Amino acid sequence: MKFFVDTADVDMIRELAELGMVDGVTTNPSLIRKSGRDIKTVTREICDMIDGPVSAEVVATDADGMIAEGRHLAEIAPNIAIKVPLTWAGLKACRVLTAEGKMVNVTLCFSAAQALLAAKAGATFVSPFIGRLDDINLDGMELIAEIREIYDNYDFPTEILAASIRSVNHVVTAARIGADIATIPPQVLRKLADHPLTDKGLAAFLADWRETGQSIL
Ligand code: E4P
């Protein structure tokens, strides 16, 4: 499973990239707002830092506007993936931008039917939002499983990018189902390494080691 980081905070991306855990980055208008920075400046900085796909989202709602914004964003760097919403206008823009050889991430996917359309529009990535489905008492993981089944049935090359991830369990379950990618908030990605028995075991080993009076170096 590839890990994308779901943030526009360059310092956090840099820290995680140094750990070798960042295969790509996703941003959206809310994350750009949170960063307090200019979209082009911050996106260029992220693209310079990361070799993999960096999603930057359009804000037009008509296909022509999305295509124009997508082309503009794609000029920032060759690793830009243009993010378009899962609407008919977004699907039309996806088809045009994909035909131009650009990576497209179809976002705000909440149903298997929508994911089927994204694949048929030639999307590079589809982003089903797990957490936001869970928030309204629907099963985000069931959606990931349905999309996996459909894409496998027809060998669609569109990659399933599990998004709106809120917990370690979301990452693990999405990986078990076979999502190609998880886009993970930095604080959740850091928690993947945590386990109380690791902390307890390490403390016990270090206490015993101190008793030996030895040193390795
Ligand atoms: C995905 O690309 C989105 O940026 C993101 O995962 C949305 O997550 P949220 O529902 O926590 O805002």
Side-chain angles (χ1 to χ4, degrees):
M1 173 182 250
K2 285 174 274 187
F3 283 177
F4 288 2
V5 191
D6 199 26
T7 185
D9 182 324
V10 284
D11 293 329
M12 284 191 187
I13 296 168
R14 188 176 295 107
E15 267 181 42
L16 293 165
E18 281 168 4
L19 295 172
M21 289 296 166
V22 182
D23 301 304
V25 171
T26 51
T27 66
N28 62 38
S30 304
L31 292 171
I32 295 294
R33 178 180 178 224
K34 195 171 164 194
S35 77
R37 302 190 59 203
D38 169 71
I39 182 170
K40 284 175 225 159
T41 311
V42 73
T43 305
R44 189 171 294 111
E45 269 180 43
I46 297 170
C47 288
D48 286 347
M49 204 187 310
I50 300 296
D51 292 332
V54 175
S55 289
E57 188 159 342
V58 301
V59 289
T61 53
D62 63 301
D64 288 345
M66 288 183 201
I67 293 163
E69 288 181 356
R71 287 178 180 149
H72 198 62
L73 290 169
E75 282 171 13
I76 293 174
N79 54 334
I80 286 286
I82 303 152
K83 225 173 169 187
V84 299
L86 213 156
T87 59
W88 283 114
L91 293 166
K92 190 173 169 191
C94 174
R95 182 165 293 289
V96 171
L97 294 165
T98 300
E100 293 176 1
K102 297 173 173 62
M103 288 187 285
V104 178
N105 175 357
V106 180
T107 190
L108 290 168
C109 172
F110 293 97
S111 77
Q114 290 181 317
L116 181 54
L117 291 176
K120 287 183 69 64
T124 318
F125 309 106
V126 67
S127 291
F129 276 36
I130 298 169
R132 293 192 195 188
L133 281 169
D134 289 355
D135 288 345
I136 58 163
N137 294 319
L138 293 174
D139 189 345
M141 285 306 161
E142 183 57 33
L143 174 59
I144 301 287
E146 286 173 4
I147 301 172
R148 181 73 284 157
E149 182 184 0
I150 292 168
Y151 283 13
D152 287 350
N153 282 348
Y154 298 98
D155 286 331
F156 283 124
T158 301
E159 292 192 83
I160 302 172
L161 200 177
S164 187
I165 281 184
R166 306 274 163 80
S167 66
V168 169
N169 277 347
H170 275 164
V171 178
V172 172
T173 310
R176 293 186 68 187
I177 292 168
D180 301 286
I181 308 156
T183 189
I184 313 172
Q187 64 278 14
V188 175
L189 206 156
R190 288 201 161 275
K191 279 192 193 148
L192 292 178
D194 293 350
H195 199 287
L197 290 181
T198 304
D199 298 340
K200 192 177 168 195
L202 182 60
F205 286 155
L206 293 179
D208 285 342
W209 182 247
R210 274 192 298 277
E211 294 298 316
T212 71
Q214 299 180 45
S215 73
I216 291 176
L217 294 178

